[in-house]
Each structure stands twice: as structure tokens, then as C-alpha cells.
Amino acid sequence: MSAQLAIQGATKHFGGITANEDISLEVPEGRVIGLIGPNGSGKSTLFNSIVGYHPVDGGSIRFEGREITRLRTAEIARLGLIRTFQQTHVFVRMTGLQNMAISDAEAGHGLFRLMRPVSAETRERAEALLAFCGLYGKRHLMAGELSFGQRKLLELAMALMVRPRMLLLDEPTAGINPTLINGVIERLQRANREFGVTLFVIEHNMRVIMSLAEHIHCLAHGRLLASGPPEALRNDQRVIDAYLGAR
Ligand code: ADP
Ligand code: MG
């Protein structure tokens, strides 16, 4: 079977900057795949192109056999391909439960649905996913009262609310209190195993990506530098040089 996500020759320029150059890689269904590389190597740009935030200048992107290169973000999200951000994107003046309801409404029936009360089924699923992310006890708190790490967990719960087939996670542990990092890793692994969500993860923390991903791609200067299992990449001189060179 072909890969769930297949990127072929993705190229993206910003003015004179080549952020992505001829990147080809695949993400097989049901797996946890990592994307690493020094700061500015083009990781977030690639994610932005995949989810339709900005189109590539060249190359193609296919998701579940379907060309998505020119689709808009909302259309791509409806196919089950969802991205979370380096910074959190929750509504700070709404409770955890309200944030979950909005996430459901955005994916499903449009914002007008917010005018109506949340169905028992939606509420039940929202509560189950908040519990999954360790936030059930805080479901009535304003999201603004949560710690940064808890907001990221809320964002994960919101992403799961739309029943994604694949999640693109841009530095899921960045800025999180070290004591919460293992909790995030564990939730991601469980989301992968229990809900069958494919994970494609950008991560700066080497310990995190080495323990999470089965296979890792490394970018440098906008190009795909190396790919392989964590052990091989950790010992790859090109990868080591790219990180040392970027310091
Ligand atoms: P990474 O996520 O690996 O740190 P990025 O993809 O954010 O790297 O950035 C890659 C390069 O593209 C950088 O030189 C960055 O400054 C540039 N870049 C990214 N997004 C934009 C943008 N919207 N406009 C202009 N330049 C951008
Ligand atoms: Mg980035």
C-alpha cells in the first residue's frame, strides 16, 4: 500500500530565501515519524505547506491517495489531516469544555452550531478526551488559567476531538515544564495506539524524539539531509555536523 502522506519534491521560497528545496518523504499509516533539524532548517515551513497554510511553489503532496497540494486548510482538516502549533491556539476566555465544543463545531457543522446547545454526545466525547489528557478536573476553568503545558494538552484534546487520521505536531513539548513532558509523550503514544492516529512530529528535544519516533527525517538548510531509525540518525555524522554547524 502507498504511504498515507507522500511528499514529492516540495519546494518553497520566501522572497530570496529557499525554505524548502526538493523535499521528498513519506509517512506510513499508523506510525510515529519524526522531523528534526536545526533552527531555520524548514521544518515548520514543510508542515505549513502540508496543511495548506501556504502552498508549495513546486512539488506535490498526497494524503491517502488524494492530491491535496492546492487545497485550503479547512478542506485538508476535513480529510483528517490536522496540525497543532508551536505556540498554543486555545481561546483563553473560554473553559476547556467550550474550547472542545468549538473544535467539534469547526470540523463538523460550521460555527453557527455554537448558537445551539452542545449535544450530550459531543459533551461526553469532550469530557472523555479531556480526561484522556488529564484535564477532566479542570474542564470548567478558563483556558487562560491553565499552565502553558496544560494548554498544550488541551490543544491535543481539541485536535483529537475532530477524529484526525493524522496529526502534525510542531514541537509538542517546547516550553513545557520538564515534569509535564513525559505526560505529553505518553498521551501522544496512547493517541497513536488507542485511536490509531498517525503522528508526524517536529521536535527539538532529542530525548523526546528518540523515544517517540520509529523513523526520523532530518532537514538542513531546507533540504532533506538524512532519514533513518533514531539510533542511526543519532550517530549520523551529517546530522551531528548540521546541529553543530547551526550553533
Ligand atoms: P524551522 O521550523 O526548521 O525552525 P522554518 O520553516 O520556520 O524553520 O523557517 C525556514 C526558513 O524560512 C527560515 O529562514 C525562516 O526565516 C523562513 N521563513 C519561514 N516562514 C516564513 C515566512 N512566512 N516569511 C518569510 N520567511 C519565512
Ligand atoms: Mg519551527
Side-chain angles (χ1 to χ4, degrees):
M1 214 199 88
S2 67
Q4 192 175 18
L5 178 70
I7 299 163
Q8 211 26 266
T11 297
K12 181 72 187 174
H13 303 277
F14 295 109
I17 297 170
T18 303
N20 285 162
E21 170 116 58
D22 195 24
I23 295 175
S24 298
L25 57 83
E26 296 189 339
V27 177
E29 184 168 356
R31 306 276 292 280
V32 182
I33 305 298
L35 184 63
I36 64 172
N39 263 330
S41 57
K43 306 181 297 295
S44 294
T45 298
L46 185 64
F47 271 23
N48 285 335
S49 294
I50 294 168
V51 299
Y53 186 73
H54 53 48
V56 287
D57 300 324
S60 84
I61 303 171
R62 296 179 73 79
F63 181 64
E64 303 196 328
R66 203 178 148 157
E67 180 83 39
I68 60 165
T69 320
R70 304 279 149 202
L71 295 187
R72 291 165 196 280
T73 309
E75 295 170 316
I76 292 169
R78 246 175 266 130
L79 298 177
L81 181 50
I82 304 284
R83 179 260 307 260
T84 67
F85 295 87
Q86 212 165 324
Q87 301 300 319
T88 63
H89 278 58
V90 300
F91 297 97
V92 293
R93 286 161 179 278
M94 294 187 177
T95 67
L97 264 180
Q98 286 168 335
N99 270 282
M100 295 293 279
I102 284 183
S103 188
D104 188 58
E106 277 179 348
H109 322 269
L111 275 170
F112 73 90
R113 196 176 169 288
L114 284 178
M115 314 287 188
R116 286 189 255 138
V118 172
S119 73
E121 189 259 330
T122 295
R123 190 186 171 93
E124 223 165 82
R125 215 153 56 79
E127 288 180 341
L129 286 171
L130 286 168
F132 176 85
C133 288
L135 294 171
Y136 184 79
K138 302 190 184 294
R139 67 195 183 285
H140 296 304
L141 283 188
M142 295 293 162
E145 294 175 69
L146 301 175
S147 73
F148 182 75
Q150 289 168 339
R151 275 190 230 177
K152 290 200 106 162
L153 283 166
L154 174 57
E155 207 194 354
L156 174 63
M158 288 166 70
L160 293 172
M161 192 69 189
V162 306
R163 297 189 169 94
R165 308 216 3 99
M166 179 182 294
L167 273 183
L168 306 191
L169 301 140
D170 197 341
E171 304 202 16
T173 71
I176 292 191
N177 188 316
T179 58
L180 249 184
I181 287 183
N182 283 342
V184 172
I185 296 177
E186 200 182 299
R187 257 73 179 217
L188 291 175
Q189 286 171 329
R190 282 184 55 201
N192 172 249
R193 281 199 309 263
E194 295 173 25
F195 306 138
V197 184
T198 310
L199 303 180
F200 191 20
V201 188
I202 294 175
E203 187 50 69
H204 216 70
N205 185 324
M206 280 296 160
R207 181 184 70 81
V208 170
I209 201 66
M210 293 290 162
S211 68
L212 195 57
E214 307 158 56
H215 193 88
I216 298 175
H217 299 285
C218 179
L219 301 186
H221 304 294
R223 290 175 164 275
L224 186 63
L225 179 71
S227 302
E231 272 312 308
L233 247 75
R234 197 211 303 268
N235 299 311
D236 190 313
Q237 195 56 46
R238 294 168 301 170
V239 174
I240 295 165
D241 288 346
Y243 273 89
L244 292 178
R247 282 228 184 116

